[in-house]
Amino acid sequence: MNLKKVFKNNEAWIKKQLATSESYFEDLGKGQTPELLYIGCSDSRVTAEDLMGLGPGEAFVHRNIANMVSGIDLNAMSVVEYAVSHLKVNHVVVCGHYGCGGVKAAMQSADLGVLNGWLRNIRDVYRIHKLELNAITDQEKKYERLVELNVKEQCVNLIKTAAVQKAYRDRDLQVHGWVFDIHTGKLIDLKIDFEKYLHDIMEIYHLD
Ligand SMILES: [Zn+2]
């Protein structure tokens, strides 16, 4: 890839944005009030704003390998805290995707060095749902189901945070689990029953 092309693209993009509004960048510079926190995979094929048809200023974005929400990940926890408690987004989305290399790697026995600790979180998801997953004989279907269950468990991890519990109580913040189907481009709402999970885990994880 010729990186000069990137700067050329940038110039063309500026022109395009200014054609929609002369004060486009002036307005962007004033600040942000996104409605949505999007937590997705770093996979180069799964963009954030593009697949949702959103533009700058509309989504606060965090991406990592296999869209994980780990309570000891200072990066993810800081993003959640800032987006939920300070920017006051109304929706938090965890978006996984079929064909996720991170999820696939967690299903295989291989020493991947520093990635082991990260992928262990996905293996934990497998362990929690072992009975359901082991009953699926088709490997591809099993893999897709693990992608979905991983999204669900990361939504549950979000609900364990004080920021999300407080925002739900104070202003009805909602958590959503989605999957991007890389083969069709379709965004699928897993219809995670957020309130049910919240109710289920509050007995143990109640913080606020
Ligand atoms: Zn992925």
Side-chain angles (χ1 to χ4, degrees), residues 41 43 66 97 100-101:
C41 184
D43 192 303
H97 68 102
C100 184

Side-chain angles (χ1 to χ4, degrees), residues 27-40:
D27 296 340
L28 265 194
K30 285 178 188 155
Q32 58 170 338
T33 50
E35 276 272 320
L36 180 91
L37 165 60
Y38 169 97
I39 299 171

Side-chain angles (χ1 to χ4, degrees), residues 36-191:
L36 180 91
L37 165 60
Y38 169 97
I39 299 171
C41 184
S42 297
D43 192 303
S44 62
R45 301 163 298 174
V46 188
T47 61
E49 290 91 342
D50 271 6
L51 68 89
M52 296 186 286
L54 300 179
E58 292 187 284
F60 202 71
V61 172
H62 179 72
R63 291 169 71 183
N64 60 38
I65 293 176
N67 41 269
M68 305 301 288
V69 180
S70 162
I72 54 163
D73 175 4
L74 184 61
N75 187 353
M77 288 300 106
S78 301
V79 166
V80 170
E81 179 69 28
Y82 186 65
V84 172
S85 305
H86 297 269
L87 294 174
K88 299 201 183 309
V89 295
N90 291 320
H91 302 276
V92 183
V93 170
V94 177
C95 185
H97 68 102
Y98 296 140
C100 184
V103 172
K104 190 161 218 170
M107 280 175 73
Q108 292 158 352
S109 307
D111 180 358
L112 296 170
V114 76
L115 273 169
N116 291 342
W118 192 256
L119 298 176
R120 193 175 304 134
N121 295 312
I122 311 171
R123 291 184 199 271
D124 291 340
V125 173
Y126 195 106
R127 182 172 49 79
I128 295 167
H129 298 279
K130 196 175 105 174
L131 286 179
E132 180 187 342
L133 288 164
N134 282 351
I136 305 171
T137 48
D138 183 306
Q139 281 302 310
E140 196 57 29
K141 288 216 165 67
K142 184 189 283 199
Y143 173 29
E144 291 192 348
R145 187 62 187 142
L146 182 55
V147 165
E148 295 168 2
L149 291 169
N150 183 44
V151 168
K152 187 201 118 182
E153 289 303 327
Q154 303 319 313
C155 289
V156 170
N157 285 343
L158 274 169
I159 302 168
K160 292 173 189 168
T161 66
V164 168
Q165 290 177 15
K166 187 172 185 298
Y168 170 72
R169 194 195 61 205
D170 294 350
R171 55 192 171 81
D172 203 26
L173 171 99
Q174 299 291 310
V175 172
H176 312 269
W178 297 349
V179 169
F180 176 69
D181 186 346
I182 211 153
H183 309 290
T184 62
K186 218 174 159 62
L187 203 50
I188 301 156
D189 186 351
L190 295 177
K191 297 197 165 53

